Amino acid sequence: MTSATRQHPLVELSGVQKWFGDLHVLADVDLAIDAGEVVVVIGPSGSGKSTLCRAINRLEPIQQGEIRVDGELLPEEGKALARLRADVGMVFQNFNLFAHKTVLQNVTLGPVKVRHRSKGEADKRARELLDRVGVGNQADKYPAQLSGGQQQRVAIARALAMDPKVMLFDEPTSALDPEMINEVLDVMTSLARDGMTMVVITHEMGFARRAANRVVFMDGGRIVESADPETFFTRPTSDRAKDFLSKILTH
Amino acid sequence: MRFRRTASALTVAVTALALAACGDDDDGGGGGGDSAEPSVAETPEFEAGTTMAEIAERGTIRVGTKFDQPGFGLENLEGEVEGFDVEVAKIIAGALGIAEGDIEWVQTPSAVREEVIEGGEVDMVVATYTINDTRRERISFAGPYYEAGQQIMVASDDDEITGPESFTENPDATVCSVTGSTPAENIREYLASDSQLVLFEEYSQCADSLSNGQVDAVTTDNVILLGFVSESDGEFKLVGEQFTEEPYGIGITKGDVAFCEFINETLADNEEAYVAAWESTAGQVEGTETPSLPEPQPCS
Amino acid sequence: MSPVLDNLDLYVDGFLTSLRIIVYSLIGCLLLGLIIAACRVSPVPPLRAFGTFWVTTFRNTPLTVVLVFCAFGLPELGINRSFFFFGVLGLILYTSAFVAEAIRAGINSVPAGQAEAARSLGLGFSLTLRDVVLPQALRTVVPPLGSVLIAMFKNSAVVGAFGVGGDLWSTGQILTSARGYETLPVFIGVAIGYLLITLPAGALLQVIERKVAIAR
Ligand SMILES: Nc1ncnc2c1ncn2[C@@H]1O[C@H](COP(=O)(O)OP(=O)(O)OP(=O)(O)O)[C@@H](O)[C@H]1O
Ligand SMILES: [Mg+2]
C-alpha cells in the first residue's frame, strides 16, 4: 500500500480552523502525514482530536484552511467526495457496524456498491480479511451477536476491504472491556507493520510507543507538540503535555 | 378564478329573495287585501285525535325544509329560510292557525328526509321532495304541489348535446349531477357507460366544472338549472324538453290520510296565495313560468 | 329489507372503485412520500427547504381543500384530466406529507453512526439511504406508516365526493337518498366494504411488522 515516489504528503492539513458556534475546536492546525506513517493523536477530552480526525474525510466540514488527501483538495459534498472517502478508511469508537447486515455483508457492501466488484470476488476478499483479523468463523452472524472486540475487528476488516490509502481510528478501544483491547491493538499493530498509513486517536500509550512513528499532542484545538514517541514520552517540552502525561501514566 | 361562481350565485339569489321579501313586508304593513302573506285561520276546529288537532293544540309546527336550495329553501344572512317550499309550508301552517313566527324550521338535506319523518322530529317535510314509490314505503306524500322536470344544461356554444339522447349517441360526453339525487339516477338510462356520469355533493360544483370544461353538461330539475342559467351571463343554456316528471310532494307520517287530505284541500283553497308564493320566490328567476296547482294524488 | 343483498352488484362495483382509488393512491403516496422524506434529510439546503414546504403545506391543509384545488383549480389552469385522476392526485399529495413524516421519523431513529459509517465507506447520499438507513428505519416506520395508510384508505371516501362517484361511499349515498333505503343498514354495508379493505391491510401490516423486527 505504500505508493511510488510522491512529492507531497498523503494527508496534509494547513491552516485549518473550525468553530462549533463560539467554540474554537480546531485552531490553525497544520499537519502533514507521509505515506506509511503512523501518527498517534493524544490529548485531553474535548481538545478536538475527534474533530480533527473526522475533518480528514469531511464528516465534519471545516470553515477555513485546506485539507488534501493524496494531493487532492477535499471536495464539497457529492460524488467526488464519496470517491475520496472510499480511499480513506475510518474506524469508530462505537464500531458502527450495520446492524441489519451480517458480518460478511458489512464487509462486502462497500466493495460491491462503491468499487463495483462482483459479489463472488468481494465475498472471497472479505473472508480473507475476516480471517486476517481473526473473526473468519463469525462471517454469517449479525453484529449484535458478537463481542465488542470482535465487532471492532470486523469494522477494521470492513475499512480494509476498500483498499484505503489511509486509515483513521477514533479511539478504537475506548468502548471495549479491558480483556478485548489487546486483540484489537494487535490487529492495528500488524497493520502498521505492513506499512498502512494510519492516524490513531488513542489513550493506549503502549500502542503509541510500539507502533507510532510520531505522536501529536493536542490541547484546546491546537497541536501543541509533535514528536517521535520516544522523545515525546521521555522529554515532553510543553507544560501541558507534561501535565497530561503525568495524569495518564499513573494508571 | 372561477370559485367565485358559487358564492356569487348564492349572493345574488339571497339578495333577490331578500328584496322580494322586503316588498312583501311593505305590502303586509299596509294591510292591503292583495298581500302575498298567507292568511292565518283564527280558531280552526279539528276532529280530536287528528294530526291537525294535535298541531293546532300545540300552537307550533315543525317543518323540515332545505336550507341550501335557492328559490325553494335557502337560509338567508339573517338566519331565516326563504323560498317556494317555505311559502307553501306557511300556507298549510296558516290553515292550522299557526302564524309564521310559530313555525320551527328544521334543516333536512335529501339524505335524512325519511328519517326525520319516521322519527317524529318534524310534522311535515317540504323540501323539493320528489314523490316516488320507494319513498312511499316509508312515508306518505300529500300533493304534489309542483311539477318539476329534469333538463340538461350545457355551455352556450355547445350544439352537440341537444337532449338526454345525446349521451347515448356520444359515449364521450359527460354529464354532472349530485350524488344520491333522483336526477342522477334518472340520467343513467340514457348513458352509454357509467363513466359518463360525474357526481358531486353540490350543483354549484357541477356548474364550476361545466364552466371550466371538465364536464359537458349538468342535469337536474329545471328550476335549479334556470337559476344557474340566469346567473351565468349567457355562458350556459338549457337544451331539450323536460324528460322526467318530478312531482314535488309534502312528506308526512306514513298512513296519515286525514292530514294528507287536509293539506291537499288547503292548497286547493288557496290558489291565490300559491301563485303569490311562487312569484315572490322561484318565480323571480327569469324564464320561469308560473305553475298552476297540479291535480293531487290519492292519499294513502 | 336487506338493502345490501338487494344491491349487491352496486356494492361490488363500489368496492372495486374504492379499491382502485386506494391502490393508485397507495403506490403514489409511498413513492412521493419517500422522495419528500429524502428531501427532508438531504444535505442540500434547497431540497431540505422544499421538503419542509411540502410537508407544511399538505399536512396543514384539509383534504377537501386539496381536492377542491385539484378538481376545480387545475382545470382553470387548462389541465383537463378525469376526476378520477384529480381525486387520486389530491389524495396522493395530501397523504405524501404524512408518509414523508413517518419515514423521516424512522430515519431519525437510526443512530447517526450508521450513516457516518456508510458515508465513510464512500457510499453517496442515496446509497446510504437505500442500503443502510431505510432498511433499519423500516422497523420503526411500519407502525406509524400503517396508521397513515389506513387513514388514507378511509379518506378515499372523500375522493368519491369529488366527481369520481361510484365508490363505496357514493353507493351508500345513492341507495339512501335516491332509492329511499334506510340509512343504517345501507351504511352498515358500506362499513363492511371498507372493513374488507382495512382489516386485511391491518393484518398484513402486522405480518410485515413482525418480519422486519426479526430481520436483525
Ligand atoms: N456537533 C458538535 N456541536 C457542538 N459542539 C461539538 C460538536 N462536536 C464536538 N463538539 C465540541 O467540540 C469540542 C471538541 O470535540 P472533540 O470530540 O473533537 O474532542 P475530543 O478531543 O475527541 O474529546 P474526547 O476525548 O472526549 O473524545 C468539545 O468541546 C465538544 O464538546
Ligand atoms: Mg473524541
Side-chain angles (χ1 to χ4, degrees), chain B residues 2-15 204 208 231:
Chain B
R2 268 309 174 355
F3 300 130
R4 239 183 15 219
R5 173 182 304 288
T6 313
S8 68
L10 277 178
T11 322
V12 174
V14 167
T15 319
S204 57
D208 278 333
E231 293 309 322

Side-chain angles (χ1 to χ4, degrees), chain A residues 20-21 23 25 43-52 60 93 170-171 201 203:
Chain A
F20 281 122
L23 191 68
V25 257
S45 180
S47 57
K49 309 182 294 287
S50 292
T51 308
L52 172 82
E60 296 287 0
Q93 183 173 350
D170 188 357
E171 304 203 27
I201 302 171
H203 297 297

